[in-house]
Amino acid sequence: MVDWLVSTAVEKLNTILQGEVAMLVGFTDEIEKLSSTFTLIQGVLEDAESRRVKNGLIKIWLEKVKDVAYDVDDVLDEWKTEALRLEAANESDGSYFIKKVRSFFSRVPFFNYVELRYKFGSRIKEVRDRLDDIDKEKSQLGLRVYSGESAREDREVRQSEIRERETGSQLDRSSIVGREVEKDEVIDLLLQEVNDQVPIVISIIGMGGLGKTTLAQLAYNDDKVKMHFELRMWVCVSDDFDVKRITKSIIESATGSSCAHLDLDPLQNRLHKMLLAKRFLLVLDDIWSEDGEKWDKLRLPFQPEH
């Protein structure tokens, strides 16, 4: 979404630069700077999008980019409308001094250019100043331009980080002290009487290092929980929220054996059949994704049959 907005803004700005209005009104420098800064920001959007869920400051930065892209689009649309209005007014009073403009602004009376500059000059400067501040923040956030090589290196680093923090359902009880109250609260939620046809979701949230995974492991391995659920499955999701990979991991956790490499549809059909008429517990640990479309796709096998 942000990348599309920025691309649209750059395209409109470059269209203006190809015409004559910006030059005649005296906005050439401002438009060129806006286009150049947007292009620089565009180069780090892929890095920003991949890190937005785990870094709240980057998420805020992306919202700033989106807001200023919307504002630039609004200013340019208003400028176009005003230019067309002035042209219509000029034609209606019989004036003939018209410059042809090779852009989407069509034709604007030359003697009204000063009016355009007065009306939109301060607004264009305001959005350019905001965009300059946003551009400065990108280096402070450590955002990088993705080249082919840097993207490959970054993926390797992230995959290494994912492997290092991958979790499982087993735990060392000897190192755990003082979590009984929280564990009992989670277990009470898991064992409550509910409509078995409607899966319930329990979220354990908090900052890193608070022991969320340990708490989930304690509940997962409790004897009452083991007796209550016919199937228990544990999957570490981490950064790579790939629906096919997660579905395959759920099946492997349930069966205790490797799952053949299949397409997503047969994998989901297999998982759905495995879960039919069973009370099951699924733990998805280390989740970061906010992609609603992926979540909707992942939960399809858990839907009850009608």
Side-chain angles (χ1 to χ4, degrees):
M1 177 63 172
V2 179
D3 185 60
W4 178 82
L5 288 171
V6 172
S7 297
T8 300
V10 170
E11 182 179 349
K12 285 191 174 184
L13 290 166
N14 289 337
T15 299
I16 294 172
L17 289 173
Q18 293 169 9
E20 298 172 355
V21 171
M23 178 181 66
L24 292 172
V25 181
F27 286 154
T28 304
D29 289 345
E30 288 89 342
I31 298 299
E32 286 179 343
K33 288 175 182 177
L34 274 174
S35 178
S36 176
T37 307
F38 264 129
T39 301
L40 290 173
I41 289 173
Q42 194 173 24
V44 303
L45 287 180
E46 183 178 350
D47 187 28
E49 288 287 1
S50 67
R51 295 165 55 190
R52 66 187 291 272
V53 176
K54 295 175 61 176
N55 190 320
L57 292 177
I58 290 178
K59 186 175 181 179
I60 294 172
W61 182 83
L62 282 168
E63 287 298 319
K64 291 181 181 179
V65 175
K66 183 170 68 173
D67 288 344
V68 78
Y70 273 128
D71 288 346
V72 167
D73 192 62
D74 287 344
V75 171
L76 298 182
D77 284 346
E78 288 179 31
W79 191 3
K80 173 185 175 181
T81 300
E82 183 67 9
L84 293 175
R85 184 190 69 79
L86 291 173
E87 177 190 358
N90 183 72
E91 291 177 343
S92 67
D93 66 12
S95 179
Y96 236 139
F97 193 56
I98 294 175
K99 275 279 199 176
K100 183 169 179 59
V101 179
R102 297 184 302 274
S103 73
F104 59 75
F105 287 104
S106 185
R107 298 176 300 171
V108 182
F110 179 75
F111 57 79
N112 286 121
Y113 287 164
V114 66
E115 183 178 343
L116 281 178
R117 178 170 181 80
Y118 177 80
K119 187 167 185 176
F120 293 100
S122 60
R123 294 191 62 189
I124 290 178
K125 184 180 183 304
E126 186 268 334
V127 294
R128 184 169 65 78
D129 289 344
R130 285 167 56 199
L131 196 62
D132 286 344
D133 290 339
I134 291 170
D135 184 52
K136 292 174 184 176
E137 289 176 8
K138 78 177 191 297
S139 58
Q140 298 170 0
L141 294 170
L143 296 173
R144 299 189 302 162
V145 176
Y146 268 139
S147 63
E149 183 64 21
S150 64
R152 182 186 65 78
E153 292 174 354
D154 197 53
R155 282 195 298 270
E156 290 177 354
V157 169
R158 292 187 184 185
Q159 287 301 318
S160 176
E161 292 174 347
I162 289 171
R163 288 191 294 270
E164 287 178 3
R165 71 170 187 262
E166 188 171 358
T167 66
S169 62
Q170 302 303 310
L171 76 160
D172 180 9
R173 294 180 182 274
S174 63
S175 62
I176 301 171
V177 179
R179 304 306 298 266
E180 290 300 315
V181 174
E182 292 90 345
K183 183 194 77 171
D184 289 341
E185 289 177 350
V186 174
I187 291 174
D188 287 342
L189 290 172
L190 291 173
L191 302 184
Q192 64 182 313
E193 291 297 326
V194 295
N195 181 357
D196 288 342
Q197 293 298 311
V198 182
I200 65 168
V201 177
I202 299 172
S203 300
I204 302 176
I205 60 176
M207 296 177 61
L210 290 180
K212 302 183 295 295
T213 296
T214 300
L215 181 58
Q217 289 168 332
L218 283 168
Y220 185 89
N221 289 287
D222 185 85
D223 289 337
K224 296 191 294 292
V225 171
K226 290 180 180 179
M227 293 178 59
H228 186 74
F229 295 100
E230 298 171 70
L231 272 180
R232 292 179 306 129
M233 299 154 286
W234 181 289
V235 173
C236 181
V237 178
S238 201
D239 289 346
D240 183 22
F241 197 94
D242 180 86
V243 175
K244 180 179 176 180
R245 179 190 68 82
I246 297 172
T247 303
K248 183 173 179 289
S249 296
I250 294 172
I251 294 173
E252 290 177 342
S253 181
T255 61
S257 59
S258 179
C259 177
H261 186 78
L262 301 172
D263 290 333
L264 178 61
D265 185 62
L267 282 172
Q268 290 193 319
N269 286 333
R270 179 179 176 184
L271 179 58
H272 182 69
K273 291 177 181 177
M274 289 174 53
L275 300 178
L276 279 178
K278 288 187 176 67
R279 182 182 290 124
F280 62 88
L281 169 64
L282 169 63
V283 175
L284 297 174
D285 190 36
D286 198 25
I287 295 175
W288 297 95
S289 178
E290 297 178 350
D291 190 325
E293 185 176 343
K294 288 184 177 180
W295 274 105
D296 288 341
K297 189 179 297 184
L298 179 65
R299 68 184 179 88
L300 288 176
F302 305 97
Q303 303 290 336
E305 291 192 338
H306 298 288

